[in-house]
């Protein structure tokens, strides 16, 4: 038995299957089929209309930080889509997943210069302007591409280092009818395990931590993204290690705990900066070592690397060694690596 849906209905049904509770956006001439499809499924997904598209992205960003669930944001063509850029940049830098659905020129009218089309260098060119601030984008040409594209978008958003994804939806594709055998099951399009570092490197890191006299754990936003607060607490208590946090990592460790040392960096505390500059071994978890957290990399202000020895855990291998040399770099999900480290240290 086939499903007969238009492109917009395919998108909305897949959002419902993904458990998306809210779609946030503003109607316009470039997304009316999508708005109609959302209205027809208002029993399963609630629509919120802000005053500005940038605010829509910030709302989705904040919802994920608070609840750990991504949302969908939708806009019309042209100016409405362009208004999301600053919100996307915030989400991209902070590794926050959300799905942006932007209206685009009809496939058969590209290059005509329809209302709000950018076409002087390339036909229907506006989506290229989002390239620096999205993890990946898809330009859809036919409604039958949507089940695969939406599945890939969620997979991209939620795995590895998270981030926003974008689907550019031509107006005719939104309204185009398509017959499908079935819509994909989200669980069949997702990895079922979290990556951790190899055991030999885990053992090296555990040995270095066990030999430390003044170990300090630096908790970053990666702890929050991986929901690794519990293994972080258990590891700190096992080692007796002080814990400091970046501003992105604030809340990842109980602030009333006797091992908590607050923050380091130019906006940090005297206690936090003392701990991180005097540590013999630092364990950085999901940390970018940005300029605010490092006092602009001035030796001895927030960190002294070297002589402090650094163990750096991050899901993104690009971050390891980017700003400070790491004695041991562990690529993997923060929670998975912390659990593996604790298991080795407890044996």
């Amino acid at each position: 038995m086939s499903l007969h849906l238009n492109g917009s209905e395919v998108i909305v049904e897949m959002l419902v299957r993904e458990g998306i509770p809210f779609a946030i956006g503003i109607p316009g001439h470039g997304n009316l089929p999508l708005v109609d499809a959302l209205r027809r499924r208002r029993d399963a997904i609630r629509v919120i209309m802000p005053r500005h598209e940038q605010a829509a992205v910030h709302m989705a960003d904040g919802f994920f930080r608070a609840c750990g669930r991504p949302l969908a944001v939708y806009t019309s063509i042209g100016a409405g889509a362009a208004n999301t850029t600053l919100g996307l940049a915030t989400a991209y830098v902070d590794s926050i997943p959300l799905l942006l659905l932007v209206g685009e020129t009809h496939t058969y009218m590209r290059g005509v210069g329809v209302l709000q089309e950018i076409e002087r260098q390339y036909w229907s060119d506006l989506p290229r302007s989002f390239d620096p601030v999205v993890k990946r984008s898809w330009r859809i040409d036919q409604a039958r591409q949507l089940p695969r594209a939406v599945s890939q978008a969620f997979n991209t958003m939620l795995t590895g280092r998270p981030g926003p994804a974008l689907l550019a939806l031509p107006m005719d594709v939104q309204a185009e009818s398509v017959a499908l055998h079935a819509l994909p099951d989200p669980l069949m399009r997702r990895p079922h395990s979290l990556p951790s570092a190899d055991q030999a490197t885990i053992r090296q890191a555990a040995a270095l931590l066990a030999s430390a006299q003044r170990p300090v754990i630096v908790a970053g936003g990666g702890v929050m993204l991986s929901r690794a607060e519990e293994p972080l607490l258990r590891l700190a208590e096992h080692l007796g290690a002080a814990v400091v946090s970046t501003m992105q990592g604030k809340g990842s460790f109980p602030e009333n705990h006797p091992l908590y040392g607050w923050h380091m960096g130019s906006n940090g505390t005297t206690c936090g900066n003392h701990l991180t500059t005097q540590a013999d071994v630092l364990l950085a978890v999901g940390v970018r070592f940005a300029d605010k957290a490092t006092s602009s990399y001035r030796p001895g202000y927030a960190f002294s690397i070297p002589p402090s020895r650094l163990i750096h855990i991050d899901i993104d291998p690009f971050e390891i060694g980017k700003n400070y040399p790491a004695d041991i770099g562990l690529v993997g999900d923060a929670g998975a690596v912390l659990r593996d480290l604790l298991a080795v240290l407890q044996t």
Side-chain angles (χ1 to χ4, degrees), residues 93-258:
V93 170
D94 289 350
S95 303
I96 302 298
L98 61 93
L99 179 62
L100 178 62
L101 307 166
V102 300
E104 256 303 328
T105 312
H106 316 72
T107 57
Y108 57 87
M109 294 184 72
R110 288 173 180 157
V112 173
V114 301
L115 179 62
Q116 297 184 339
E117 179 187 10
I118 306 295
E119 43 77 37
R120 291 184 188 174
Q121 295 184 36
Y122 299 91
W123 290 354
S124 192
D125 199 27
L126 182 66
R128 286 205 311 159
S129 68
F130 298 114
D131 285 352
V133 291
V134 296
K135 190 174 177 184
R136 184 170 172 177
S137 62
W138 286 259
R139 182 172 179 169
I140 308 302
D141 294 307
Q142 298 178 356
R144 70 183 66 184
Q145 297 171 325
L146 285 166
R148 182 169 67 253
V150 175
S151 293
Q152 289 180 357
F154 273 91
N155 204 342
T156 299
M157 288 158 46
L158 296 170
T159 60
R161 185 173 186 164
L166 180 146
L167 268 66
L169 303 170
M171 297 182 221
D172 56 319
V173 171
Q174 294 178 45
E176 177 191 354
S177 295
V178 62
L180 302 168
H181 292 298
L183 292 175
D185 179 349
L187 294 180
M188 300 291 286
R189 301 295 180 116
R190 223 62 100 247
H192 294 168
S193 63
L194 295 171
S196 186
D198 67 273
Q199 283 299 306
T201 313
I202 291 281
R203 287 193 291 272
Q204 291 175 20
L208 182 55
L209 284 169
S211 68
Q213 298 298 308
R214 299 180 305 281
V216 175
I217 300 173
V218 184
V223 176
M224 310 284 280
L225 289 170
S226 69
R227 301 296 188 260
E229 295 90 345
E230 184 265 340
L232 172 66
L233 174 62
R234 290 174 57 205
L235 181 64
E237 290 180 338
H238 179 82
L239 292 169
V243 178
V244 298
S245 66
T246 67
M247 292 301 165
Q248 277 292 106
K250 185 175 173 61
S252 61
F253 196 83
E255 296 190 354
N256 61 352
H257 195 286

